[in-house]
Amino acid sequence: MRQGRYRFIVGALAGPIVLYAVLVLWPYLQSFYVSLTDWSGYTSERRLIGLANYERLLKDPVFWISLRHNLLAAVVLPVFSIGLGLFFATMLNVAGRAKKAAVQGVRGASFYRIVYFFPHLLSIAVIGVLWSFVYDPTGNGLLNGFLGLIGIDPVNWLGSTRTAYWAILAVIVWVSVGFYVLVFTAAIGSIPPDMYEAAMLDGASRWRIFWRITVPLIWDTVQVALVYAGINALDMFAIVNVMSAAGGSGGPNNSTQVLGNYIYLTAFEHGRFGYATALGVALFVVTIVLAVITLRFMRRDRVVY
Amino acid sequence: MTIRHSRGLDRRAFLRLSGTAAAAFTAGSLVSCGQGTEADTPSDAGQSGPPNTEPDADNPLNVPPDEPLETVIFKGGYGDQYVIDAQALYAERFPDAEIKHQGGQELGKQLQPRFISGDVPDLIDNSGAGNLPMAALVADGQLMDLTPLLDAPAIGAGGKTVRETLIPGVVDLGSFGGTPHALYYAFVVHGIWHSRSLFEENGWPEPETWDDMLDLCAEIKSTGMSPWTYQGKNPGYILTPILMAAAKAGGLDVLKNIDNLEAGAWTAPPMMAAAEAFYQLVERDYILPGTSGMTHTQAQTYWATGEAAFIPCGSWLESELGDVTPEGFDMVVTTTPAVTASDALPGTAIRGMGSEPYIVPSQAKNPMGGMELLRIMLSPESATNFTDQTQTLTSLADYEPTNVGSGLTSVREALAASGDDTFFWLYHQWYSELSASVNETTSLLMTGEINPDEWAQQCQSAADAVKDDDSVTKFQRD
């Protein structure tokens, strides 16, 4: 009987584990190996060159620029997209003025919930192209047109090294807020309404309710969202590739360059798969370190209810 | 005039010389081919090789008649119908050969796994975004030497070889270290475009010198129109006229030094003169506001709708704009105005460039078939067909297209006027990282974030970095 159970467990798990090992673990291991070679990506031959690719990486200014941009995004994106997500989710679920029911969202909450989620349904390529039009650098652009109404000269959003990266970050915030609203709405929905009612009866302000009840009770979700946003910030390949230039150069002058895009350029434009893989391994390390730090930093006692 | 003539002769003689050198070189490499270098698969290429069989007038490349032929063609602005048409001619000649054809985009992603596994097509048009990086393929020995094709008799040319029927310089454009690995099927010229009707309406002359250009820009600006725009998100477009102006000012050595990664190539006086000249457009605010943030389509559309007077581009501009161009716009291309009082090249010299690089992989099963199809495509019949379909010239020198628009007319005139002074550079296809780097640096120059001195210094250090990088395969031209 006991043996039979083990056999069942092994039998049930073997398939997925083998699949995972072959499709996930093995490529990871392989890429560590490839990063030690001079593979161009176009032959079956590759030569081991030791740590030369990593040496190159440390001396490569574009690697450091890209990394700085990724880390900047890892700070900015969570603050704005999760901050806004929390704010909107609260407004939509518990911040409405109480008339009959005690806990409710602002008027039209169900409508807003759908609208916020819209951007998330579009493919990132479509979003990039749409926003490139919004950011049209002449006075004819949507954004510059609005600014023109209040007397501001057209801004060269994607063409200036000063604004290009921030313009792209703003798009990512716009895309991801809806997702976090949805996640936090679900989390807030699982908080027993009597907690809010009790707090309101005690005369707590909405601000206080937010910090003392909502945030502590959905902290687990916030934590997961932070890790998720951080990982997203380390990717950003698609949006940069679509918005930075026709060929996705990360320009102007690498001012929007991120590691994901630089890896792509290095591999496919410059035929350096070995070096690109080394960049990928570096990104892998950065991602893991950031995830560990986030989870460590955010550890709080769990509220059981 | 006489000076120009003698220069032309010099150049012609030079090309002939380099042609002989290439032939001698490849004769040697053919021998080594027979001995079986690791670059060549020991497949049909070896068995059907030329040594023992008598050359057949109808089949000079000794194509195995029943061997299947596979082509993968970039299907962009030019489509792939012209290749399919040529395949019909191939099928007439080799009815037993099965032909497999695929037209597509982003060829690099499709073909990369096939190069690794060794199962490659016999002829590839490696063009468009996301193509295979040519220099990497050459460095890996993945591309055939195309000399057998170049030395084969051309179709309908009365005994001339294919090489002799091509526009001078085309072979060099596709050569890496003296070996022709790519053959550019289409030939484009690069220059500065304007609307002839607009200029005639306003009585604006075509500027001959850069001072003329700046005077004209002042006049254009006073009408409320922006004198210049360029494809801001692809700053390589505006680097092209800068390099053209530098080459005209200092002669071909300017370009050779850049291609050969010579010290000081980017900081040489002609380069500085050209950069200073274009920087004046920034200083005097002659560029359409927002240009640096525009895609090529945006900038070209603004230009065609009258927001700006000049735009740099290759000769594909007319077909790329298509219906966007207003009726009677009458676009024409000119070369760059002289930036010094004593330019080394004649005023008419213009940059010629190939497009649609055709390659034959060295692992191909039927490489001679691939070359034979290319030979058919380079016949006057197929070339006329291509130009009529695409409003673009092929690399074949002498043929008469039957359907010619205003842009193509001006391209043919410019090319004829430039003649043997048509020049080219190669660094961008040899060193893609250098190319990316100088393009981005140029974007800073054209927004005024750096001045010409800083621009030259930064470009030079990018070139020096490539020169010092042992992992980059180097090529030389002379």
Side-chain angles (χ1 to χ4, degrees):
Chain A
M1 187 64 200
R2 187 161 258 267
Q3 226 167 1
R5 194 172 66 188
Y6 280 126
R7 199 175 298 157
F8 172 75
I9 292 173
V10 170
L13 286 183
I17 286 179
V18 167
L19 275 181
Y20 185 77
V22 171
L23 296 177
V24 180
L25 293 181
W26 179 236
Y28 269 119
L29 289 175
Q30 250 189 332
S31 55
F32 282 107
Y33 169 72
V34 171
S35 75
L36 304 176
T37 68
D38 67 347
W39 192 38
S40 71
Y42 296 91
T43 52
S44 49
E45 289 162 37
R46 47 185 113 161
R47 207 159 46 89
L48 268 178
I49 51 168
L51 292 174
N53 282 330
Y54 290 94
E55 212 180 306
R56 183 186 185 90
L57 177 149
L58 293 177
K59 283 188 287 189
D60 183 351
V62 184
F63 166 73
W64 293 108
I65 292 171
S66 314
L67 185 62
R68 211 172 57 226
H69 285 154
N70 277 118
L71 293 179
L72 179 68
V75 174
V76 171
L77 291 184
V79 169
F80 281 90
S81 54
I82 293 183
L84 282 173
L86 262 178
F87 172 70
F88 289 138
T90 313
M91 293 304 282
L92 294 184
N93 292 292
V94 294
R97 290 204 179 277
K99 286 227 174 116
K100 287 178 203 156
V103 185
Q104 65 176 31
V106 294
R107 196 177 305 160
S110 51
F111 172 71
Y112 287 125
R113 222 172 319 213
I114 297 172
V115 170
Y116 286 142
F117 199 65
F118 268 161
H120 213 78
L121 298 176
L122 295 174
S123 111
I124 202 85
V126 172
I127 288 167
V129 172
L130 283 179
W131 275 89
S132 298
F133 285 119
V134 173
Y135 283 138
D136 185 298
T138 65
N140 307 334
L142 191 62
L143 188 53
N144 280 333
F146 276 119
L147 291 179
L149 293 180
I150 53 170
I152 298 178
D153 282 342
V155 179
N156 194 350
W157 297 105
L158 294 171
S160 157
T161 49
R162 278 181 294 277
T163 50
Y165 192 54
W166 295 103
I168 291 180
L169 286 182
V171 175
I172 301 177
V173 170
W174 179 80
V175 177
S176 49
V177 161
F179 174 75
Y180 295 116
V181 168
L182 199 78
V183 169
F184 293 142
T185 297
I188 290 173
S190 68
I191 299 175
D194 20 330
M195 296 221 178
Y196 284 111
E197 285 164 9
M200 283 181 199
L201 282 177
D202 288 344
S205 67
R206 277 193 264 180
W207 188 244
R208 210 174 158 80
I209 290 176
F210 175 74
W211 282 113
R212 295 293 168 160
I213 299 196
T214 309
V215 171
L217 290 183
I218 64 167
W219 187 248
D220 275 356
T221 312
V222 174
Q223 214 172 329
V224 170
L226 279 169
V227 173
Y228 183 77
I231 290 175
N232 260 349
L234 294 180
D235 171 18
M236 302 196 358
F237 162 71
I239 193 83
V240 165
N241 198 268
V242 173
M243 291 188 73
S244 67
S249 66
N253 199 34
N254 290 317
S255 64
T256 61
Q257 194 65 277
V258 292
L259 273 176
N261 196 54
Y262 187 48
I263 290 172
Y264 174 82
L265 293 178
T266 306
F268 293 99
E269 302 273 312
H270 305 317
R272 286 183 186 272
F273 271 69
Y275 181 49
T277 315
L279 289 167
V281 170
L283 179 58
F284 170 79
V285 172
V286 172
T287 313
I288 297 245
V289 168
L290 213 70
V292 168
I293 290 177
T294 317
L295 290 175
R296 270 284 153 82
F297 222 43
M298 299 289 150
R299 191 174 288 165
R300 260 200 194 190
D301 286 335
R302 199 170 178 172
V303 184
V304 182
Y305 51 90
Chain B
M1 205 59 209
T2 42
I3 296 171
R4 218 188 114 190
H5 202 78
S6 77
R7 187 191 311 285
L9 281 178
D10 279 354
R11 190 170 152 70
R12 210 171 277 155
F14 152 73
L15 281 175
R16 203 168 295 139
L17 255 179
S18 68
T20 342
F25 175 78
T26 45
S29 66
L30 271 181
V31 172
S32 67
C33 224
Q35 290 161 355
T37 49
E38 72 263 41
D40 293 308
T41 42
S43 63
D44 313 272
Q47 297 158 21
S48 65
N52 299 326
T53 37
E54 271 298 299
D56 176 353
D58 284 340
N59 186 6
L61 289 167
N62 282 305
V63 179
D66 48 359
E67 185 72 28
L69 177 74
E70 188 190 350
T71 55
V72 175
I73 304 298
F74 171 67
K75 194 174 176 180
Y78 302 141
D80 61 349
Q81 186 56 44
Y82 67 99
V83 182
I84 297 172
D85 294 342
Q87 282 168 353
L89 299 174
Y90 185 94
E92 268 173 35
R93 195 163 303 176
F94 305 106
D96 295 335
E98 183 198 336
I99 298 179
K100 214 173 131 197
H101 171 81
Q102 190 198 339
Q105 299 186 340
E106 299 270 337
L107 296 188
K109 279 173 206 118
Q110 290 181 40
L111 292 174
Q112 187 196 8
R114 298 189 59 183
F115 269 93
I116 296 171
S117 68
D119 167 35
V120 284
D122 303 305
L123 185 66
I124 303 169
D125 172 15
N126 185 27
S127 188
N131 59 351
L132 297 155
M134 204 83 84
L137 291 180
V138 172
D140 283 336
Q142 289 278 19
L143 300 185
M144 284 291 276
D145 179 347
L146 297 179
T147 303
L149 165 67
L150 294 172
D151 289 344
I155 297 173
K160 280 191 194 169
T161 63
V162 170
R163 185 194 304 276
E164 286 161 353
T165 61
L166 297 177
I167 293 174
V170 166
V171 174
D172 305 69
L173 279 171
S175 293
F176 291 78
T179 313
H181 283 300
L183 188 58
Y184 285 97
Y185 184 62
F187 195 81
V188 292
V189 300
H190 286 247
I192 302 170
W193 294 75
H194 66 267
S195 155
R196 183 176 280 155
S197 58
L198 175 78
F199 274 51
E200 275 169 7
E201 203 176 293
N202 289 288
W204 294 336
E206 279 180 10
E208 306 249 309
T209 68
W210 197 255
D211 287 336
D212 292 350
M213 173 59 94
L214 293 177
D215 290 345
L216 179 59
C217 284
E219 197 182 330
I220 293 171
K221 202 180 174 198
S222 69
T223 68
M225 189 181 197
S226 288
W228 272 77
T229 188
Y230 62 91
Q231 299 78 343
K233 281 190 169 185
N234 291 319
Y237 278 90
I238 191 69
L239 178 58
T240 295
I242 297 178
L243 286 175
M244 285 174 66
K248 289 179 69 181
L252 296 177
D253 282 341
V254 172
L255 300 176
K256 287 173 188 166
N257 290 342
I258 286 175
D259 290 344
N260 290 336
L261 303 174
E262 300 291 346
W266 290 86
T267 52
M271 291 294 287
M272 295 303 302
E276 286 285 354
F278 278 81
Y279 189 61
Q280 288 302 310
L281 300 177
V282 184
E283 290 248 285
R284 303 186 187 196
D285 203 15
Y286 286 159
I287 298 175
L288 178 67
T291 288
S292 68
M294 291 177 193
T295 63
H296 67 290
T297 1
Q298 282 173 319
Q300 286 161 196
T301 305
Y302 282 131
W303 171 76
T305 49
E307 301 273 331
F310 291 108
I311 194 168
C313 199
S315 48
W316 59 82
L317 180 63
E318 187 175 35
S319 57
E320 191 169 53
L321 275 170
D323 297 339
V324 176
T325 317
E327 203 61 34
F329 188 75
D330 214 5
M331 65 174 76
V332 287
V333 65
T334 57
T335 184
T336 50
V339 293
T340 66
S342 53
D343 267 14
L345 295 184
T348 50
I350 199 164
R351 177 201 184 192
M353 182 60 211
S355 92
E356 310 310 297
Y358 274 78
I359 52 177
V360 179
S362 50
Q363 302 182 72
K365 291 176 199 71
N366 187 7
M368 288 302 156
M371 290 191 212
E372 175 67 16
L373 181 61
L374 204 45
R375 194 171 76 96
I376 293 171
M377 287 165 63
L378 286 166
S379 67
E381 180 188 355
S382 296
T384 306
N385 185 33
F386 174 80
T387 304
D388 290 352
Q389 282 176 21
T390 63
Q391 290 294 298
T392 303
L393 296 175
T394 67
S395 295
L396 190 67
D398 270 329
Y399 69 103
E400 275 306 315
T402 48
N403 166 23
V404 180
S406 84
L408 181 55
T409 308
S410 78
V411 166
R412 296 180 81 201
E413 281 166 8
L415 195 57
S418 174
D420 287 339
D421 293 310
T422 308
F423 56 86
F424 57 87
W425 54 85
L426 296 163
Y427 78 90
H428 61 294
Q429 42 196 35
W430 289 352
Y431 311 115
S432 63
E433 280 156 328
L434 173 60
S435 176
S437 179
V438 294
N439 286 349
E440 292 300 328
T441 307
T442 306
S443 76
L444 298 183
L445 177 74
M446 296 310 288
T447 50
E449 276 184 58
I450 55 175
N451 62 34
D453 279 324
E454 291 164 315
W455 173 81
Q457 291 298 339
Q458 289 180 23
C459 291
Q460 186 60 48
S461 50
D464 292 342
V466 171
K467 190 179 187 181
D468 295 339
D469 187 343
D470 294 335
S471 67
V472 177
T473 310
K474 309 291 193 307
F475 304 102
Q476 285 286 317
R477 70 182 279 201
D478 43 30

